[in-house]
Amino acid sequence: MGMFQTLYDYFWWERLWLPVNLTWADLEDRDGRVYAKASDLYITLPLALLFLIVRYFFELYVATPLAALLNVKEKTRLRAPPNPTLEHFYLTSGKQPKQAEVELLSRQSGLSGRQVERWFRRRRNQDRPSLLKKFREASWRFTFYLIAFIAGMAVIVDKPWFYDMKKVWEGYPIQSTIPSQYWYYMIELSFYWSLLFSIASDVKRKDFKEQIIHHVATIILISFSWFANYIRAGTLIMALHDSSDYLLESAKMFNYAGWKNTCNNIFIVFAIVFIITRLVILPFWILHCTIVYPLELYPAFFGYYFFNSMMGVLQLLHIFWAYLILRMAHKFITGKLVEDERSDREETESSEGEEAGAVGGAKSRPLANGHPVLSNNHRKND
C-alpha cells in the first residue's frame, strides 16, 4: 500500500493542480457552496455504460425505423463464392494477397489469378460496415450532439462570462459549482467514455488514430478542468465543440439517405461553423482566455501548463481536420465527388484492374428503383 499511497499523494499534490497559497481544504463544501471534487467523476463510468445501453435501444427503435422512412437502401453486394483455400488465407494471412501469393493461391484453388483477385475484392466488401450501420451510428451521434449543444447553451447563455471572458477567472479558484454545470459535465464526460468504449465496434474511419487521441485528450481535459475548477472555461469549450458536431452527423445521415443537395448544403454550413468555432474562436478567444488571463492573477503552475498543452493537442487535431474538411468542401464546390474524407471507401468492381468495359460503369453506381444511389462511397453522378 505504501508505494501506491505515495504515488497517490504525489498525484494530488496541491502544487500540481492548484495555484500558489491554495489547498484542497479551501475547496471543501461549506455555507451551502458546493465545489467540484474528483470523486464526482466516478459516476461517469456507470453512466457511460448506460449510454451504450440507451444507444442500443435508440438504434433499434428510433434509427432503424427512421432509416426505413428515409429510404436508406442497402446496395446489393456480390458475395464471394465459398472457397475454403482462399477463406483460410483471408482469415489467417491477410485480406490483400501480394502478386506472388495470388499466383500460389491460384495454383492451390484451380482459379485464374483474376478470379482470385475478384474473390478477395468481394470478400473484403462483404466485411464492410453496411449503410444501415453507418446511418444508425450517425443518427445516434446527431441526437446526442444536438441535445448536448442545446443543453450546453442553456447552461451558459445566462452567465456573465459568456459575454466577458475576463469573468471566467473572477474569484478563481474559489468558484462554487451549480447543478446544471455538474450535469453538463457528467453527461459530456460519460458520452466521450462511451465513444471510446465503442470505438472498436464502430465503423472504422481513416482518422481512427486521431479519433482515439481526440477522445482521450477530451476525457483528460474534461476531468482535469473539473477537479482543478476550470469549470467556466470547460463549459465554454464543450459548448463550442458541440456547436458543429451535430451538423456533420446530420449531413452524413442525409448522405446515407441519398439526399445529395441537402447533404452538400449542410456540409458547407458545417465547414463554415467548424472553421469559425475551432480555428477562430477557440484559439483567439478561449485559448487567449486560458493562457493570458490566469497569469495576471497568479504565477503559472503545473496544472496551467497541463491544461493548455492538452488544449494545444486539440487545436492541432482541429487544424488537421479543418484541412480534410476544406479539401472536401473544395471537391463539393468543384463538383468532383461526395464522401466524407474521413471515411472508408467501398471498392467497386471496376476500380481494381478489371477492364472497365467488361464490367461497365453501371457497376460502380448501383441503382435503387432505377435511380443512381449516392452512398457514402460512390462518385457523384455528373
Side-chain angles (χ1 to χ4, degrees):
M1 196 58 204
M3 159 102 174
F4 182 76
Q5 191 58 45
T6 313
L7 283 172
Y8 181 85
D9 293 342
Y10 268 114
F11 183 80
W12 291 113
W13 188 39
E14 280 131 355
R15 289 292 62 78
L16 286 181
W17 307 112
L18 298 175
V20 266
N21 307 334
L22 209 87
T23 65
W24 295 114
D26 294 323
L27 299 178
E28 292 293 319
D29 299 349
R30 59 175 154 276
D31 315 328
R33 288 166 68 92
V34 180
Y35 295 100
K37 287 177 273 318
S39 56
D40 294 339
L41 298 175
Y42 290 133
I43 193 177
T44 61
L45 292 169
L47 273 180
L49 288 174
L50 183 65
F51 263 124
L52 292 173
I53 296 166
V54 170
R55 170 182 173 170
Y56 174 79
F57 288 105
F58 175 88
E59 290 192 359
L60 207 57
Y61 296 112
V62 181
T64 308
L66 184 64
L69 203 67
L70 286 173
N71 215 356
V72 176
K73 278 274 187 292
E74 221 27 271
K75 298 189 291 296
T76 48
R77 289 184 180 160
L78 297 162
R79 294 189 70 80
N83 186 316
T85 316
L86 302 184
E87 185 67 33
H88 180 74
F89 184 94
Y90 182 86
L91 295 174
T92 56
S93 308
K95 302 179 177 188
Q96 295 200 325
K98 299 181 181 58
Q99 198 49 50
E101 294 169 325
V102 169
E103 285 161 19
L104 180 67
L105 288 166
S106 159
R107 285 200 296 278
Q108 287 172 349
S109 62
L111 298 170
S112 72
R114 287 288 278 290
Q115 288 171 314
V116 170
E117 281 171 2
R118 185 181 301 142
W119 188 93
F120 273 92
R121 182 162 51 252
R122 289 181 179 178
R123 186 66 185 78
R124 283 195 299 271
N125 278 345
Q126 258 168 249
D127 281 355
R128 285 277 155 106
S130 70
L131 209 54
L132 183 61
K133 177 174 162 128
K134 290 175 172 182
F135 180 84
R136 284 180 188 153
E137 209 171 284
S139 351
W140 164 246
R141 291 185 180 177
F142 166 73
T143 308
F144 176 82
Y145 288 135
L146 183 64
I147 293 171
F149 176 59
I150 295 167
M153 290 317 276
V155 170
I156 291 174
V157 80
D158 58 341
K159 306 291 183 287
W161 54 89
F162 182 63
Y163 305 97
D164 176 8
M165 290 272 167
K166 280 248 195 269
K167 293 220 164 71
V168 165
W169 302 109
E170 203 169 59
Y172 174 86
I174 315 278
Q175 296 171 335
S176 50
T177 64
I178 43 185
S180 62
Q181 282 176 329
Y182 170 82
W183 283 110
Y184 185 38
Y185 253 81
M186 296 309 136
I187 284 167
E188 284 272 345
L189 186 54
S190 310
F191 183 74
Y192 278 105
W193 275 123
S194 77
L195 283 185
L196 193 64
F197 295 154
S198 65
I199 201 161
S201 61
D202 286 349
V203 175
K204 198 167 174 181
R205 300 205 317 231
K206 287 178 193 161
D207 61 349
F208 184 71
K209 289 192 201 66
E210 287 83 1
Q211 271 196 300
I212 291 186
I213 296 169
H214 178 266
H215 296 339
V216 170
T218 306
I219 287 168
I220 292 173
L221 257 174
I222 295 176
S223 310
F224 165 76
S225 68
W226 179 254
F227 64 68
N229 250 355
Y230 273 50
I231 292 166
R232 294 179 183 180
T235 49
L236 289 177
I237 293 162
M238 292 190 294
L240 194 69
H241 281 78
D242 290 338
S243 64
S244 59
D245 287 334
Y246 67 90
L247 288 166
L248 177 63
E249 299 302 334
S250 67
K252 283 185 186 176
M253 288 163 69
F254 285 115
N255 184 7
Y256 303 143
W259 300 30
K260 285 207 260 301
N261 292 336
T262 317
C263 163
N264 287 9
N265 294 331
I266 295 179
F267 189 86
I268 299 296
V269 175
F270 160 71
I272 294 166
V273 173
F274 186 96
I275 302 285
I276 291 173
T277 53
R278 303 193 187 195
L279 298 193
V280 180
I281 299 179
L282 190 67
F284 298 110
W285 271 269
I286 311 262
L287 279 178
H288 180 80
C289 169
T290 59
I291 291 172
V292 179
Y293 294 159
L295 297 181
E296 297 169 8
L297 301 173
Y298 48 79
F301 60 105
F302 172 78
Y304 164 88
Y305 292 119
F306 179 78
F307 183 82
N308 286 310
S309 53
M310 279 290 147
M311 289 295 291
V313 170
L314 281 188
Q315 189 61 67
L316 290 172
L317 283 171
H318 294 333
I319 292 167
F320 165 76
W321 278 319
Y323 160 72
L324 293 185
I325 289 164
L326 285 173
R327 197 167 74 176
M328 197 168 148
H330 176 254
K331 286 178 184 170
F332 273 174
I333 292 163
T334 55
K336 285 282 195 318
L337 98 168
V338 179
E339 64 169 71
D340 185 342
E341 276 293 344
R342 307 192 296 184
S343 65
D344 207 358
R345 233 176 270 198
E346 183 116 0
E347 304 164 65
T348 52
E349 290 285 330
S350 56
S351 67
E352 290 199 3
E354 304 236 359
E355 274 100 58
V359 214
K363 268 284 170 51
S364 60
R365 294 186 191 127
L367 303 178
N369 317 330
H371 300 295
V373 178
L374 168 83
S375 90
N376 194 18
N377 312 306
H378 283 281
R379 293 167 198 73
K380 193 198 265 180
N381 256 7
D382 297 316

